[in-house]
Each structure stands twice: as C-alpha cells, then as structure tokens.
Amino acid sequence: MSENFSDDDFGQTVFSPAGRGLETTSAPDLSHYIVASKNGDIVARVELGAAPLTIGREAGQALVLADTDVSRRHARITFDHGVVRIEDLGSTNGCFLNGQRIGAATALKEGASLRIGSHLLKYERRSRQDVEREASLARDLKRANSYVLSLLPPPISDGSVRVDWRLVPSAQLGGDAFGYYWLDPGTFVFYLLDVSGHGAGAAMHSVAVMNLLRQRAVPGADMTRPEEVLRALNAMFPMEDHAGMYFTMWYGVYDRVSRELRFASAGHHPAFLVPPGRQEAIALRTRNGLVGADPETIYRADRFLVPPDSAIYLFSDGVFEIVTKEGLQWGLGNFIPRLTGPDASDTDECKRLYKEVRGLSQASSLEDDFSLLVLNFD
C-alpha cells in the first residue's frame, strides 16, 4: 500500500536557547550542540548551555528520545569550563561511545558519536547562523517533498488494472515523479520520470513535467503515442534553459481490449513484466536518449502483449543502486531476481520489495528517492 507520511517521518529540528554564563574555548561565533538522529534522520538539535542536558524517555527530560530502549532518565550531558561530558544515570541499556559502554562521566571530543538505544547523538560546534541556514533549507525541502507527494495519484485497488506504489524520498530530496490515469475507458496511461540531481530544484523540475502530463494534453503530442510525448517533452525542457537539468523517463499506454502495451523509455532502465507463474522478468525498454539533453534526439516506441494475470514493475534507480552491508555495490542485475520472488499480494508487493532492499542496504538513510510502482493486469 502507498505510504502516507507525517512530519515525524522526515524528522524535525529542535532548537534550545543557550543558557547564560556559557563558557567556551572556541571562537566567539561558534556554539556547542548535541544532534540526535535516528535511521539517518535528524530528530533534534539542542544547543548546550550552563544547565545540564538531561536525556531520557520521560517527558520531563530536556532531550526526549521516544525509544523503548531508552530509560526514563538515561543520561546527562554537561558543559563546564570548555569541556563536554556525558554521564550514564544508571540506565538499563547503557550509553556507548565508540562501541564501548561508559559509566562515569566521560569527556567528549568534537565530532564524538554516542549510541543511546536506536538513536545516534553527535557533539558538534557550529555557528548559529549556519544552523539556522540549514534549518531553513530543511524546511524548504520538506515543503517541496510534501507538494510532490500531494500530486501523486492514489492507488487503484480494483478494475482491470490495479496499481500500488511506494515513494520514500531521500534525505536530500530527489527528482522522482510518476502518474497514471485512464485516458478513456479502454486506454490506460502510466509513466515515471527521474530528474538529474537532488534538492528543491530537481523536485520542482519534476513537478513542472508532471503537471504538464497530468493535464493529459502535451502540446504537439498524441498522448497514446509514447514516442510523440517524449519528443514533445524534449523540445519543451532543454537542459540549457533549466539549470542544466535533464531527466530519464519511461512512458507506457495500455489498450484494455487488445491487451497491447505501447511504450518508450528515454535514458531510463527497463520496466519489467512478470507473467503468471513468476518464473521470469521481461525487460520493456527502448534505447532512446535522455529528455532535455539533445534537441535532435529521435524517440522510438515498441509494443508488447500483456498476458492476463501479469504484473509490470516500474521504478527509479534509487530502488537498486545501494551498497550492501557486505560492501557490494548493487546494480540493476542484482535487483531483477527479487521481482520474481513470491508475490505477497497486490497490496503488499511494494512493501515486500522495499523491506528487502532496505534490509540489505549498508546505509541508514536513502541516498536517492525510492520510487516503485506495481501494476497488476487482469
């Protein structure tokens, strides 16, 4: 099932004012912070002051960590005469510095990382101006992400074509977008695009393209002909007019009566059709150039008959470009065998694949957007 994300899913930055009488050996414009993160997402940034920073699960603590492995009063951090120290307050599961459990008050060096439950705490010195600038950027990215998510179509749970999806944005926010709709009662259109780069600029570029496609009328193109749609988009979004950004794309049109799928890809890896029995994954791809890179690019489409009770998997490269816990750099070839695994059900297939990939990944947070559509055809 597609995901609904709350503010907590993307983390929040919390600021605490510095206490009076703060002593420091650093430059006057640098302040001292404890940054708490979970699964790679910052959940709090607290400025150290004269008052001790108490850490625990109960609401009365200065830094509350919602974690069952954290005690009600777990630890205390003090800043005195230029030295930051952490002390375990008799917690059940302890505090770990560089993998070693600590007991008595222990001094922290700048950049030191602590593990408390499932949270990572880092001591850093930064200017308030830099911190405010970072927080402002994070808010902008969060707004851009929310806007992108608001434009995505809801899953389709019944009918001759059923669609489920999962989009998990990366920490930097990428340029993934997708859509689908019935152009008429017998014609189903679906597509996915991936803009180069990260950040609000890439996200907004994908939104501009997606809004055009959502109008179901790209100027100069028959929406039932993928090659015409790609050609028109290539003419409308040259990279030199859009901050050097280009995008890859996969676009397909399914005829419900004839079961013919007409499709074209532009610099994008294949979509894969898995027929009944799930014994193979058939690549659906045309070798066309990127959108926006070369105004002279010629786009060609291909056709495929979709067997009854088959599924098509359409996804971005953020789904398979990972480094595993063993240090192996994954590529598309590593991911394809996962597509023919047991189909959990129409509603759980996206969840199954996301869980498998995240379980194999070395990184605690996504480096690129994870965008995956699963379309089931009766």
Side-chain angles (χ1 to χ4, degrees):
M1 182 177 293
S2 61
E3 298 296 303
N4 291 318
F5 298 98
S6 66
D7 287 348
D8 292 336
D9 290 312
F10 296 97
Q12 58 181 344
T13 303
V14 180
F15 296 94
S16 294
R20 293 183 179 179
L22 176 66
E23 298 182 27
T24 177
T25 57
S26 63
D29 63 338
L30 294 182
S31 298
H32 300 251
Y33 296 91
I34 295 296
V35 182
S37 61
K38 184 175 181 180
N39 297 326
D41 295 324
I42 294 177
V43 296
R45 176 180 279 109
V46 183
E47 184 177 345
L48 296 175
L53 175 67
T54 57
I55 304 168
R57 194 175 72 243
E58 68 180 8
Q61 305 310 307
L63 175 56
V64 178
L65 301 179
D67 189 331
T68 56
D69 290 330
V70 175
S71 299
R72 290 184 175 86
R73 294 186 73 251
H74 197 106
R76 175 172 54 222
I77 294 177
T78 58
F79 184 85
D80 184 46
H81 292 88
V83 179
V84 176
R85 293 183 175 87
I86 182 166
E87 178 184 4
D88 191 296
L89 299 178
S91 67
T92 301
N93 295 310
C95 304
F96 294 84
L97 175 62
N98 299 325
Q100 299 295 317
R101 184 165 181 167
I102 63 171
T106 303
L108 299 178
K109 295 181 179 179
E110 182 180 356
S113 294
L114 295 153
R115 176 68 64 180
I116 296 181
S118 60
H119 288 75
L120 186 69
L121 273 62
K122 185 176 181 180
Y123 164 44
E124 66 178 24
R125 292 190 299 173
R126 296 181 62 185
S127 71
R128 292 194 184 102
Q129 184 180 19
D130 283 347
V131 170
E132 290 289 352
R133 187 182 298 115
E134 181 180 296
S136 177
L137 176 60
R139 288 191 294 269
D140 288 344
L141 291 177
K142 195 172 183 178
R143 283 193 292 268
N145 172 69
S146 296
Y147 182 52
V148 171
L149 290 173
S150 72
L151 296 177
L152 300 178
I156 301 175
S157 58
D158 54 20
S160 58
V161 181
R162 302 181 305 282
V163 188
D164 188 35
W165 55 263
R166 190 174 184 109
L167 170 59
V168 183
S170 65
Q172 301 180 67
L173 184 61
D176 288 9
F178 55 81
Y180 46 84
Y181 54 83
W182 286 99
L183 186 62
D184 58 52
T187 308
F188 190 76
V189 173
F190 57 107
Y191 57 87
L192 183 145
L193 62 105
D194 185 357
V195 175
S196 60
H198 293 89
M204 292 301 98
H205 193 53
S206 70
V207 165
V209 180
M210 185 164 58
N211 278 335
L212 188 64
L213 292 165
R214 290 170 73 235
Q215 296 174 14
R216 310 183 184 190
V218 175
D222 179 344
M223 300 301 288
T224 68
R225 300 183 65 84
E227 68 276 23
E228 291 191 15
V229 173
L230 294 178
R231 175 187 53 75
L233 292 175
N234 188 55
M236 295 178 69
F237 293 95
M239 59 187 295
E240 58 268 23
D241 294 342
H242 294 86
M245 289 184 290
Y246 55 85
F247 57 93
T248 67
M249 189 171 183
W250 194 101
Y251 186 96
V253 180
Y254 173 68
D255 185 292
R256 184 175 60 84
V257 176
S258 68
R259 306 196 65 88
E260 181 183 80
L261 172 68
R262 187 176 178 90
F263 64 92
S265 53
H268 202 81
H269 56 265
F272 288 88
L273 184 141
V274 177
R278 307 186 64 79
Q279 296 181 351
E280 61 178 334
I282 302 169
L284 304 175
R285 179 187 188 185
T286 57
R287 296 186 178 276
N288 297 315
L290 304 162
V291 179
D294 181 1
E296 303 301 322
T297 298
I298 297 174
Y299 295 95
R300 294 181 174 87
D302 204 348
R303 302 166 188 259
F304 193 89
L305 289 180
V306 178
D309 300 319
S310 58
I312 290 179
Y313 295 76
L314 179 58
F315 47 91
S316 65
D317 55 13
V319 169
F320 59 83
E321 289 185 346
I322 64 168
V323 177
T324 68
K325 290 181 172 65
E326 293 75 29
L328 174 66
Q329 177 67 58
W330 252 32
L332 180 59
N334 301 100
F335 179 68
I336 294 173
R338 304 277 165 179
L339 300 178
T340 55
D343 185 0
S345 73
D346 289 353
T347 57
D348 291 336
E349 184 68 348
C350 289
K351 181 178 180 181
R352 174 184 75 84
L353 289 168
Y354 176 74
K355 185 177 180 180
E356 287 187 16
V357 172
R358 296 300 293 133
L360 291 166
S361 176
Q362 181 186 83
S364 59
S365 61
L366 295 168
E367 296 183 3
D368 201 354
D369 290 355
F370 183 105
S371 301
L372 169 66
L373 285 81
V374 179
L375 300 97
N376 289 274
F377 297 82
D378 284 348

